[in-house]
Amino acid sequence: MTRVTLLAGGVGGAKMAEGLAALEDVELTIIGNVADDDEFHGLWISPDIDTMLYTLSGRINRDQGWGVADEGRRALDTLEELGAPVWMFLGDRDFGLHIYRSQRRHAGDRPSVITADIAERFGIKARLLLPTDDKVQTRVRTAAGWLSFQEYFVRERCAPEVLDLAYTGLADAQLTAEARAAITEAEILVIAPSNPLVSIAPILETPGLRAAIAEARAPVLGVSPLIAGQVVKGPADRMMASLGHRADALGVADLYQGLVQHFLIDNQDAALASEISALGMTPHLADIFMRDAEDKARLARHLVDIAREIIREHAA
Ligand code: GDP
């Protein structure tokens, strides 16, 4: 068994996690993103963590990539009838999870422990960790002012141009002991093909996390979330461009300079390989678009094979 620790956001991250979880010779630990979290109707919602829970337990809505399959909206209809804002879609089955999490948070349980318990109850074999038990929230500055992440992402459908990002609470957040150990004890570290600015950055910038990676003996591999200068889903490309980054695999590589040693980019991006090498990172060409379960497992296998080769070379 090889211990793999994956840093991952929501949809792209969960696809990579599913692939790694399918490998029988991998013991998978995921460090997820809590900076998309917010409160709705008095309940604490963790969208990226829930995408991971729903994906790995096989209850995800495959067409959307988030939310539960076979979902209803009767609870939301009642809230709407009562005049509550319902732009954040929360399904009936989904509500059950939010009630459970919120009730335990109110009782004073650590968010990490609550997440681990849910994962276990959902029959998930991988370990799902939080980078911190503290409250960290991404804020998005647009021409209309600062928005919460979900206001930008869901209510405004990512339409406004992103002028700035801030992560409230991050500078004072405490890295969980579990996340630190998962990094220092990993044999392979992987940065998922997630949004580098709003999914990976809030994990990476948790104080102490980069230091743990620097201390770790594991090789650090990344997978580009951008293919031929485009996202598979979401606002990462436009967000990178409006914040002054190149909106392609090279732009993502630039953000991971000094951290990621091996970067998987799509075959279509072969022309970027030499510039990625110049950043001090080894590019690897592959088909990194994950359409189905087979693609996910194939990419995960490829990633682990590359990492094992690096480990072997290092030992020799
Ligand atoms: P979010 O928090 O739900 O937005 O999810 P993530 O940050 O984990 O993932 C969003 C990123 O995943 C986007 O930039 C997508 O381009 C990327 N993504 C989604 N599916 C794939 C895929 O099949 N392959 C790759 N390489 N990236 C993907």
Side-chain angles (χ1 to χ4, degrees):
M1 294 298 271
T2 302
R3 290 185 305 277
V4 178
T5 295
L6 175 75
L7 272 55
V11 177
K15 285 166 106 177
M16 192 74 254
E18 217 181 354
L20 288 163
L23 304 182
E24 275 160 15
D25 52 351
V26 162
E27 198 179 288
L28 178 63
T29 301
I30 301 148
I31 302 178
N33 174 36
V34 295
D36 286 8
D37 288 18
D38 216 334
E39 196 171 353
F40 294 92
H41 318 296
L43 301 174
W44 195 255
I45 319 290
S46 278
D48 277 3
I49 299 301
D50 291 348
T51 295
M52 201 56 88
L53 289 164
Y54 292 148
T55 301
L56 294 175
S57 65
R59 59 196 78 196
I60 196 85
N61 178 329
R62 296 265 169 211
D63 299 328
Q64 286 179 168
W66 57 271
V68 184
D70 188 23
E71 185 57 288
R73 58 162 290 146
R74 304 180 96 174
L76 211 62
D77 285 345
T78 302
L79 285 161
E80 188 165 24
E81 194 183 344
L82 295 171
V86 292
W87 51 262
M88 182 74 177
F89 181 82
L90 300 167
D92 294 339
R93 291 165 175 252
D94 200 23
F95 262 113
L97 178 57
H98 306 319
I99 292 166
Y100 178 81
R101 168 183 290 127
S102 304
Q103 180 268 325
R104 285 197 56 186
R105 287 176 70 106
H106 285 308
D109 290 343
R110 280 177 59 203
S112 297
V113 173
I114 304 170
T115 304
D117 288 350
I118 297 168
E120 194 190 337
R121 290 275 178 155
F122 277 7
I124 296 169
K125 274 206 269 145
R127 285 207 311 155
L128 178 55
L129 307 180
L130 307 186
T132 181
D133 286 317
D134 298 325
K135 186 164 142 186
V136 174
Q137 285 179 306
T138 300
R139 312 253 326 146
V140 182
R141 189 166 70 84
T142 69
W146 286 95
L147 301 177
S148 73
F149 184 74
Q150 297 305 335
E151 283 169 343
Y152 159 75
F153 195 75
V154 179
R155 196 187 68 198
E156 305 301 327
R157 297 167 197 273
C158 309
E161 190 181 7
V162 175
L163 304 174
D164 204 355
L165 292 170
Y167 312 94
T168 56
L170 186 57
D172 302 315
Q174 205 181 334
L175 181 65
T176 60
E178 294 90 341
R180 181 192 299 278
I183 288 169
T184 55
E185 290 165 16
E187 290 169 280
I188 303 173
L189 284 166
V190 182
I191 312 285
S194 290
N195 186 319
L197 302 173
V198 297
S199 291
I200 301 299
I203 304 173
L204 269 182
E205 303 313 328
T206 305
L209 195 138
R210 277 182 183 271
I213 294 180
E215 215 180 281
R217 65 195 170 97
V220 185
L221 289 86
V223 180
S224 175
L226 299 185
I227 299 174
Q230 287 184 321
V231 287
V232 176
K233 206 182 166 116
D237 52 353
R238 283 182 298 121
M239 201 181 266
M240 286 185 66
S242 71
L243 291 173
H245 305 286
R246 276 183 66 130
D248 59 11
L250 179 57
V252 180
D254 191 45
L255 289 169
Y256 294 153
Q257 204 180 350
L259 173 83
V260 167
Q261 296 138 3
H262 293 264
F263 198 48
L264 273 72
I265 61 173
D266 199 78
N267 291 319
Q268 294 177 58
D269 288 318
L272 300 175
S274 61
E275 282 170 280
I276 290 174
S277 294
L279 294 174
M281 203 179 281
T282 308
H284 297 264
L285 291 171
D287 175 5
I288 62 166
F289 180 39
M290 295 171 274
R291 298 155 200 86
D292 51 26
E294 204 177 303
D295 278 353
K296 291 170 193 166
R298 179 189 40 75
L299 182 58
R301 177 85 272 153
H302 188 52
L303 194 69
V304 170
D305 286 348
I306 291 172
R308 286 198 177 135
E309 186 56 38
I310 298 160
I311 294 165
R312 256 196 305 277
E313 275 171 18
H314 199 78

